[in-house]
Every structure is written in C-alpha cells, then in structure tokens.
Amino acid sequence: MKIRILAGAVALVSSVALSGCGYLPGAGAESSTVTVWLMKGSASQGFLDRFKESYEAEHPSVELEFVLQEWGGIGPKVLKALKGDDAPDVIEVGNTQVAQYAESGELRDLTLESLRDLGGEDWLPGLAEPGKVNGGQYGIPWYAANRVVIYNKDLFAEAGITELPRTRDEWVDISEKLNTGDQQGLYLAGQNWYVLAGFIWDEGGELADDGGGEWQGALDSPEALRGMDFYAKIQAFGSGPKDADEQSPPETDVFAGGKVAQIISVPGSAALIEQQNPELKGKLGYFPIPGKTAKKPGAVFTGGSDLIVPEGADQRSEGIEVVKALAGKRWQTELARAMSYVPNKPSLASVVEGQEGTSAMAQGATEGRATPNSPYWAAVEADNPIKPYMTAVLQGGDPAEEAKKASDRITSKLING
C-alpha cells in the first residue's frame, strides 16, 4: 500500500520487480538477465549500482536490469504481470498489497526460505504479518517507515521541558504545557486516520477483524472507541482542521511557521520543514510516539515494502536468490543507511544509530502494525469511511453511533470489494 505520509525520499510504500533468468547457481555458465521493476524513490541510484556490481560479481552468469515503475496504476499492472507469460521474477510491493496479489494464486510461497535462510522469526511485524496469507509467507520484508513525533527543540527548551515523554500521560502533560497563547502544543489534522489506527491498536482494538470468519468493521468496539477518545484529546492541543487530513494544509508548512511544538509524521518531513524555514535547521528533534506505559512505545502504522516472487516467473529460482540478497543483513544495512529506512529486523536497528530521526522511527517500528490483511482493504481506502467518522466525532457527534455507521460501511467494502 502506498504510504501517503512519506516525505521527500521516504516514499511509505514501494513496488520492485527483479525479473530473472532461471539461472540455478552452479548449473552452468550461460548468461541470463534478471529484470528488476523498482518503484521510483524506493532506492537511490547509488544503492542500485552497488548492489548490481556486487551481485553480478558473485553471480558471473547473471545480469541485473532495473526498470523503474510509477505508483499510479501499479496495482492493475502487477496483477496483469502475474497472470501473463512474461512475469518478472521478483516484484517489490507495498507491504499491505500482498494479500491482494496472493489472492490471484500467482505468488510463490516463500515460507521455507523465510525460515531456513532469512531468519523470518525476527522480522518486523508490520512487514511480516501482511506478507503472510493463509499461513504462507508470500511477502518477504524489505524495508519499513513509520511516524514519529517531530518537535521544535527551542519551544521545548523555552517551556522548561528537559526530558522527552515516554508515556501517553507524560505526552499529554507536556503538550498541554506547550499549548499556550498563539503557540500550538501539537498540530494534528482531524482525519489523520493512520495515527488513529495506532491509538486503537494500543487499546487492543482493530480497524476491522475476521475473528468470526468474515471481515467486519470494528471501529465501534469499546477498545477502538477508547482510541478515538485519546485522539480527540491530543488533537485539541492545536488548531488542526477537524474536517481535513494532514495534507490540507500540509502539516509540514504549518510546523515551518515556528509556532507549532510537535507534529506526528515521518522523519523525512523534516527536510520539507527546513526548506520552508531554514532557521529551523538543526532545531528539530524526534521521539517515538509514546505508549500507555514506559515499557514500550505506542503502536504505529508501518508502511514499506515486501518482496514477492511470481509463481509463473521463468527464472523463479534466481529470483528467490535475489530476494535473499536484498533481504539479508548486508544489503539491509546498506539500504537503511542510504535511504534512512528502518531495516526489516529489530536486531538491525543499531545500523541507523547516529541518524536521530531514523533511530526514533526504528524504536517505534517494534510496535508497528499494518492495515487489515484483507484483499479488499484497498476498496476501503478508496472511499475511506474512517475520515468522515473522525470528523463527525471531533465536531460533537456521538462516538458510538458514528463508529457503528463507519464500521458498517467498512464491512460492506470488505465483503463486496
């Protein structure tokens, strides 16, 4: 799924295809080409050049060819490729898209490789769980990105805040303290439903669940309602519009005005803020969204990429080898440092130490989640009932009634597509 929040180089969701040649290691010297579809912005040219040079040196009979793809219309394009006679050998897809593609029956089950070769038991849940469909691991985690709190260090210092919050209660206290005069303690648009999702998950709720054997909207559960209640509490510490999302107006532009103490966004947003207001350069800090206790950060929506292998790819075996390389420790480290991404395993988080924003993101990613793993979730987002639900509650509507209406709409989408 495309992650709309990723700013600049951080693109919160991607699609690559490494189209292979069928070369089996040690099977002969015949040259073969592995074609790679890569979503623009997923990896720098420098990273791709280094990977290509290294991989081809280690696999002399293989040549990698990268083809960049646009996000627009990528879903139908991938589905067509999966069903065609010339499917790529590997495709990078948004982590929440795997279920949609797996439903076609055209993906290779990579469970064996994930356990035997890639240490799948240690993957970030926000990448691994949406890659698992009906018990099979069809998506191999590649990289992740998620929201953190970006704050203005000067405004924190002026308010006498010397320690960053580690719990929700501490976060509420400092946000209230920072919300004074013409200064906003925390700017949060009323329809930032990805942020709401994290609060719902913290309370033990879901956006939708299939516990009864069929997907149903779940915004009206007591747990989900508590998540919405907390959203309303912190949204009140600023003047974010109740009837718009974080792009209307862009939250980075509002923060750049210098009168906002905090926003909830990906670290890449800092570059946009500094472009708008160079005086803020070096004055931005980051911390994970606080959890209910100090034992762990708050839950966050994880965007990013998984790698899939088409069942009908001509060079499927070599495609799997490319996946192993991209998802392995060496190239995970290279990619994370080059692109300021979160690597696919918490055990690799130390590779981004020294990158303040990415390090905070990696801490939060340990509690990362993805949207409901239904092949029809894209239909929910296309006409998203969560956004008007949030607006209705923030404007004084009855939370339980509005949640029930939104849940019914979600259920309809998940049943009928």
Side-chain angles (χ1 to χ4, degrees):
M1 150 180 294
K2 185 174 180 181
I3 176 169
R4 299 174 55 247
I5 54 157
L6 295 182
V10 184
L12 252 153
V13 282
S14 300
S15 298
V16 167
L18 302 149
S19 163
C21 50
Y23 169 76
L24 294 175
E30 183 177 351
S31 179
S32 42
T33 300
V34 176
T35 304
V36 179
W37 288 4
L38 178 64
M39 297 305 297
K40 288 184 178 179
S42 291
S44 66
Q45 190 60 50
F47 172 86
L48 297 179
D49 291 343
R50 292 191 298 275
F51 181 79
K52 175 180 170 67
E53 181 180 3
S54 176
Y55 194 87
E56 290 178 352
E58 295 171 3
H59 304 78
S61 297
V62 175
E63 179 181 353
L64 298 179
E65 179 185 8
F66 295 98
V67 179
L68 300 183
Q69 304 287 348
E70 298 282 355
W71 269 113
I74 193 61
K77 188 171 186 177
V78 170
L79 288 170
K80 182 178 180 181
L82 292 176
K83 294 179 180 296
D85 297 328
D86 190 26
D89 298 292
V90 179
I91 307 174
E92 178 207 350
V93 301
N95 58 325
T96 61
Q97 294 175 328
V98 178
Q100 174 188 357
Y101 300 136
E103 190 186 34
S104 70
E106 302 293 341
L107 298 190
R108 178 71 170 179
D109 185 342
L110 300 172
T111 303
L112 176 62
E113 289 79 8
S114 70
L115 296 175
R116 182 189 63 195
D117 304 316
L118 292 170
E121 68 280 352
D122 187 34
W123 282 331
L124 289 173
L127 294 179
E129 290 172 4
K132 182 176 290 185
V133 181
N134 296 327
Q137 192 72 46
Y138 292 92
I140 300 299
W142 194 29
Y143 71 82
N146 49 267
R147 290 167 177 78
V148 299
V149 180
I150 302 177
Y151 70 97
N152 185 316
K153 293 180 178 180
D154 281 355
L155 298 185
F156 269 53
E158 290 170 9
I161 299 169
T162 58
E163 294 187 7
L164 297 176
R166 297 183 60 202
T167 68
R168 276 191 185 181
D169 288 344
E170 292 173 357
W171 192 24
V172 166
D173 288 344
I174 70 161
S175 297
E176 186 173 19
K177 186 176 183 179
L178 290 160
N179 193 46
T180 178
D182 62 349
Q183 178 177 295
Q184 300 182 54
L186 187 149
Y187 179 88
L188 179 62
Q191 294 184 349
N192 196 328
W193 69 277
Y194 286 120
V195 172
L196 171 64
F199 299 155
I200 289 175
W201 292 329
D202 273 342
E203 297 290 347
E206 301 287 347
L207 302 177
D209 66 64
D210 63 345
E214 188 174 80
W215 282 101
Q216 293 186 329
L219 295 176
D220 54 337
S221 72
E223 296 83 2
L225 288 170
R226 289 199 298 269
M228 183 64 219
D229 182 66
F230 182 74
Y231 188 98
K233 178 181 292 187
I234 66 164
Q235 202 270 340
F237 293 127
S239 59
K242 294 178 171 57
D243 59 352
D245 64 19
E246 62 274 21
Q247 296 300 321
S248 303
E251 61 186 357
T252 51
D253 290 357
V254 179
F255 190 94
K259 293 295 185 178
V260 172
Q262 306 170 86
I263 59 171
I264 303 171
S265 190
V266 291
S269 294
L272 299 178
I273 294 167
E274 291 170 354
Q275 286 174 14
Q276 289 284 330
N277 185 354
E279 292 184 4
L280 289 177
K281 193 172 182 64
K283 298 179 179 180
L284 304 181
Y286 315 83
F287 58 87
I289 296 174
K292 297 186 73 173
T293 73
K295 293 181 179 179
K296 60 183 182 181
V300 289
F301 167 74
T302 299
S305 292
D306 280 14
L307 302 171
I308 61 174
V309 176
E311 187 68 71
D314 290 338
Q315 314 299 339
R316 191 176 64 203
S317 296
E318 183 53 49
I320 293 174
E321 294 304 309
V322 172
V323 169
K324 291 178 185 177
L326 286 170
K329 180 178 180 180
R330 174 186 174 186
W331 292 104
Q332 280 292 292
T333 299
E334 288 258 357
L335 185 67
R337 289 174 175 169
M339 301 301 294
S340 296
Y341 289 149
V342 178
N344 62 11
K345 293 181 177 180
S347 59
L348 295 176
S350 61
V351 305
V352 294
E353 288 181 357
Q355 299 181 16
E356 186 181 355
T358 310
S359 181
M361 192 163 60
Q363 293 177 56
T366 60
E367 296 300 317
R369 296 275 303 274
T371 49
N373 203 18
S374 163
Y376 299 116
W377 184 255
V380 175
E381 291 196 31
D383 183 24
N384 197 331
I386 305 174
K387 289 186 171 185
Y389 155 64
M390 298 172 71
T391 294
V393 174
L394 293 174
Q395 291 180 339
D398 180 84
E401 292 181 7
E402 298 297 339
K404 181 63 168 62
K405 288 191 290 186
S407 294
D408 288 345
R409 288 183 59 197
I410 291 173
T411 299
S412 178
K413 296 283 186 182
L414 294 178
I415 292 175
N416 302 314

